[in-house]
Structures are given as C-alpha cells and as structure tokens.
Amino acid sequence: MAFFYDDAAHTFNEYLLVPGYSSSDCIPAAVDLSVPLVKFSKGEAAPLTLKIPMVSAIMQSVSNDTMAIALAREGGLSFIYSAQSIEDQAAMVFRVKDFKAGFVLSDSNVAPDATLEDVVKLKEASGHSTMPVTHDGSPHGKIVGIITSRDYRLSRMALDTVVSEFMTPREKLVTASATTSLREANDIIWDHKLNALPIVDEHDHLLYMVFRKDYDSHKENPLENLDSQKRYLVGAGINTHDYVDRVGPLLEAGADVLCIDSSEGFSEWQSRTLAFIKGEYGPDVLVGAGNVVDREGFRFLAEAGADFIKVGIGGGSICITREQKGIGRGQATSVIEVAAERNRYFKETGIYIPICSDGGIVYDHHMTLALAMGADFMMLGRYFARFDESPTAKVNVNGNYMKEYWGEGSARARNWQRYHSGGTAKLSFEEGVDSYVPYAGALKDNVGLTLAKIRSTICNCGALTIPEFQQKAKLTLISSTSILEGGAHDVVLKDQVAAFPTSFR
C-alpha cells in the first residue's frame, strides 16, 4: 500500500507570524530585500541576485518583454515564456537586453514628405508630441529633423503642409553618439536646455531618444536589476523537449538565466536537460529547475546541477492539476520541507541552492510567510497578470475592468511540452483554466505597496534582511476560527450599507 505522511499538508492561509522584539533601528526604509537568485559556495557571493524577492511566472499571459523591463526596473526579474517559437522568444529576450534605461526606441516617427495631418493623427494615436523625422519614417532611419509641438500651429497652418517645411532641420539639432552614457546624455540635455536628445550612429541613423522628463523617472528606480553593462537582467523559460535547439539562441540573445518550465521536476527529463546544458555550454550557464514538493525532489535536482529549485505543484490560481490528477501538496508544507533539506544540503556541501516558492500566493502577506518558511523568492503569475504591463487584453466584464489570464495547462495555451512526459502522445486533458483577474493598474504602484507590507512585517519580527528574518521569525498554525477572526467581523462595512433594506438601516 501507499506511503502515508503523518501530518496534513498546510497552505499559507493556515499560518501567522508572531511578532518579535524590534529595536528603534527596525524601520521599513532600512530593510534590505535582496536575495540570491542562483547557487553559490559558502563564503562567496551569488553570481546573480535579486533586489526584491519576486520573479514573474513563465506564462504566456504574464511574462513578455514589456513585463520583463518593468519588473527589472523595480528590482525583480521575469522569465520570458517558452510556449512560442524559438525565434520569437529570443527576440523578446533581445529587446529586454537592448533596452537601455533612459534610452527610448522611438515609436512616433514621420518621413519628411508626410503632412501636418499625419502628424496630428500620430500624436492622437501615440500621445507623443516629439517626433523624429527620418528619411524613410522608420525608427532607425537617417535623421533629417525633429518635430515638437512648438514647430506648428493648427490654427495658422494648412493640414496638407509638408513636414519638411516646418520641422527643425538636422543642421539645427543637437545629437549624441551611440557611445554616450545616460549620465552624459542628461548633461547634454541640461547644458543645451533640450527636452529631447537623439542618439545616432556613425551614419546618422537614429538609435534612441533620451528625454528630459525621463531623468526624474530614472532616479525613482534605485533598485533596478542591471548586469555589468547596465542592461536589465532577464530570464527565459525552456522545456525538456526542444532545449537542444532553444538554449543556444536564448543565450545568444542575452538571457542571464534559464529555467526549466515543467509541471513536475522530479524526473529523468530534467536531469537530462541540465546535463546537456552544463556539458554543452559550461557550468557558468545558470539554469533553474522544478517543480518539486519534498526533500527527495530537491535533493535529486540539486545533485543534477540545478542553480535554483522551484517548489510547488497544483497551488496556482489557474492550476487544476490536483483536481484532474490528485497530485500535489499544500504549498506551505512543501516550502518548509524543501527549505529544511536545502539547509541540510548546504551544511553537507557548502553549496547554497536558493528555492523559489511557486504558487499558493493569494494575499500579499502570503509572500512574507513564504519567505519566513525559507523561500528565497517567489514566482508569481496571477499577481503580475493584473497589471498594465502583462501581455493580455484589458476587458470590461459586467462593468468592471479585468485582465485575461490563462494557465499553461489550458487548451488556450496549448503548451503540451510543459505537461508531456515522453512518448508520442500529447496533452489529452487540461491542467489549467482560462479566466479573468481584476485589473489593478501599473506594476510599479502595486509592487511598491506589496513591498511596503513585507518590509513592515519584517520589522515587526525584529529583522532588517531576509536571512535575518528567517532566523528570527516565529510561525504558528491557526484554527479555522482564527482565520475568521483575522478579518473584519461583527460589523457592517460602510460600503455595504446601501445593500441593506431600508427597514434595517
């Protein structure tokens, strides 16, 4: 008969943190949320770190290049989804690495033979009043001038006026070369009292635009996650089927770290994938693996060469693996057991392998609980799918704005490689759903609020870093009535009064 665990598997919602002594030094502004992303030896620094303990999930409805740039700007990292062609995924990775903070690829360009009417329509469509004029109207054409709102007056000019007649011509423009740093570009802007500075190559072709208004924005992101060349860090998902063909182009595009995207990581397929990558491209190529839910799974992937290990099966909001197959484990129990094995492995070998909690996060405080239980960082899908930067459509559903969100195991995703375990048959049943999540606005605002909660909780436990927090944190299981007690109860909320009949008011 089957092996039975003595204890029930628990979720994050069944735990609370017990506060500890906090000194006057424990203030949220002093909390450092940086964590290692990949393994390192005792006494050494990790080759890659995160400024905040958050990465976005390897999902079509979550992690594209737009999300990757926005999250890296806040200190996290995205793994570009692999359920697309190799060429398209590599192109997304390249766009992230090619994006220079403060250097903007112009998306509002006109040709010199365009008309004022074309300019007005483009401004209405893009919202941009500054438009480079290139010889062919392309983003990287040879620059021949620039248009700003000061160059024309609709009340005094005919709409068929040609751009070349009212643009500021090339000979009057201040430009900078491709080797110009952002600091140097901003100095030029201030010295010449410019609002925008074109960056051009040796043949005068437009590369980027640097705007005065972006200077303050850049200063507002002190936690930007950058590589040694000041480019944003980005990861890429791979599967255990076409990795031989996929890994090379992703590394050539600039991917800083890879992650095997699979519903279950305790398998020969993952060890084969890790062995190939490390053997073909060398040990310095960083690859995460997973997912696992127990000590045996962690130990297997650690010995196979994984640089970080993902924990969790069936806990995602759009995942129905537990319903369909009856397999998985409560996320809190999984993280606790794997973290304990991670620590044992570190004592035995002197090698620390970070673990990533993937799934089971419903509320912001669940992230803090995951960290207290030993997770180094969290992989989040639903959380990031709600934001402007996710690749899905914003739709109006019954008067409320929502964002589309679907699982990689759904029929819509058609990502059979993630769930396929060999042989010739492909995905025959769904392990994910197609859904909506409430639209939440910009990533920056929401992540900032979440991190404020995490920092405040860490202070309540008397810590200033995540490792210190994990040493000092005290956790308690709670009863079902304690869960009810933890929210608003025995009152009528003001925003619900209108729903009551007049006789009860």
Side-chain angles (χ1 to χ4, degrees), residues 397-443:
V397 179
N398 298 325
N400 297 307
Y401 280 113
M402 313 287 282
K403 290 275 284 186
E404 295 179 308
Y405 180 47
W406 60 92
E408 290 301 297
S410 67
R412 179 172 185 174
R414 298 182 180 276
N415 187 5
W416 65 269
Q417 294 96 334
R418 188 179 198 274
Y419 296 86
H420 183 45
S421 297
T424 57
K426 295 187 179 181
L427 190 65
S428 56
F429 57 89
E430 290 184 290
E431 293 189 45
V433 299
D434 193 352
S435 63
Y436 297 107
V437 289
Y439 169 66
L443 178 145

Side-chain angles (χ1 to χ4, degrees), residues 29 101 122 314 414 480:
L122 183 57
R414 298 182 180 276
S480 57

Side-chain angles (χ1 to χ4, degrees), residues 168-467:
T168 300
R170 174 67 182 89
E171 56 269 21
K172 294 185 179 181
L173 293 182
V174 176
T175 63
S177 70
T179 59
T180 304
S181 69
L182 183 60
R183 180 186 296 274
E184 292 168 338
N186 283 316
D187 287 342
I188 294 171
I189 287 174
W190 288 99
D191 291 344
H192 293 269
K193 299 180 180 179
L194 306 173
N195 287 322
L197 175 69
I199 306 297
V200 298
D201 65 14
E202 65 273 20
H203 302 296
D204 224 25
H205 287 85
L206 180 65
L207 298 176
Y208 304 101
M209 296 290 292
V210 178
F211 294 94
R212 175 188 288 260
K213 64 181 178 61
D214 288 338
Y215 176 79
D216 291 333
S217 175
H218 181 61
K219 291 296 184 183
E220 291 174 0
N221 300 295
L223 296 179
E224 288 180 316
N225 220 6
L226 306 173
D227 64 17
S228 59
Q229 301 178 52
K230 305 299 183 183
R231 301 175 302 176
Y232 285 134
L233 293 179
V234 62
I238 58 174
N239 60 62
T240 57
H241 297 271
D242 66 3
Y243 58 88
V244 173
D245 299 318
R246 189 174 292 268
V247 169
L250 293 176
L251 296 177
E252 290 175 9
D256 298 286
V257 58
L258 306 175
C259 183
I260 302 173
D261 183 31
S262 174
S263 62
E264 207 281 298
F266 196 176
S267 74
E268 182 181 346
W269 305 104
Q270 294 227 354
S271 62
R272 285 186 186 182
T273 304
L274 289 165
F276 170 82
I277 296 173
K278 298 293 185 176
E280 185 73 15
Y281 298 99
D284 291 338
V285 174
L286 305 172
V287 190
N291 289 18
V292 298
V293 294
D294 60 10
R295 61 176 62 90
E296 290 85 1
F298 171 88
R299 180 71 63 155
F300 173 80
L301 290 177
E303 294 175 350
D307 290 291
F308 69 84
I309 294 173
K310 289 202 297 167
V311 180
I313 293 177
S317 61
I318 41 68
C319 183
I320 55 173
T321 293
R322 297 180 190 177
E323 293 179 21
Q324 294 282 55
K325 296 166 61 175
I327 193 168
R329 200 179 193 190
Q331 187 66 11
T333 298
S334 299
V335 171
I336 292 168
E337 180 173 318
V338 173
E341 187 65 18
R342 184 265 324 277
N343 293 344
R344 279 191 290 269
Y345 187 84
F346 180 51
K347 289 182 179 179
E348 292 172 16
T349 66
I351 298 173
Y352 185 93
I353 303 178
I355 62 172
C356 168
S357 178
D358 180 17
I361 300 292
V362 180
Y363 305 108
D364 285 353
H365 78 270
H366 288 172
M367 299 187 204
T368 317
L369 290 170
L371 295 171
M373 292 171 184
D376 294 278
F377 55 97
M378 290 78 60
M379 179 172 278
L380 306 163
R382 180 195 62 84
Y383 178 86
F384 287 116
R386 303 172 300 146
F387 303 150
D388 288 321
E389 293 82 359
S390 74
T392 63
K394 182 175 75 171
V395 296
N396 190 304
V397 179
N398 298 325
N400 297 307
Y401 280 113
M402 313 287 282
K403 290 275 284 186
E404 295 179 308
Y405 180 47
W406 60 92
E408 290 301 297
S410 67
R412 179 172 185 174
R414 298 182 180 276
N415 187 5
W416 65 269
Q417 294 96 334
R418 188 179 198 274
Y419 296 86
H420 183 45
S421 297
T424 57
K426 295 187 179 181
L427 190 65
S428 56
F429 57 89
E430 290 184 290
E431 293 189 45
V433 299
D434 193 352
S435 63
Y436 297 107
V437 289
Y439 169 66
L443 178 145
K444 182 178 181 63
D445 297 335
N446 287 276
V447 167
L449 178 58
T450 298
L451 295 179
K453 296 177 184 178
I454 293 175
R455 289 189 177 99
S456 179
T457 303
I458 288 176
C459 285
N460 291 150
C461 295
L464 289 174
T465 67
I466 290 176

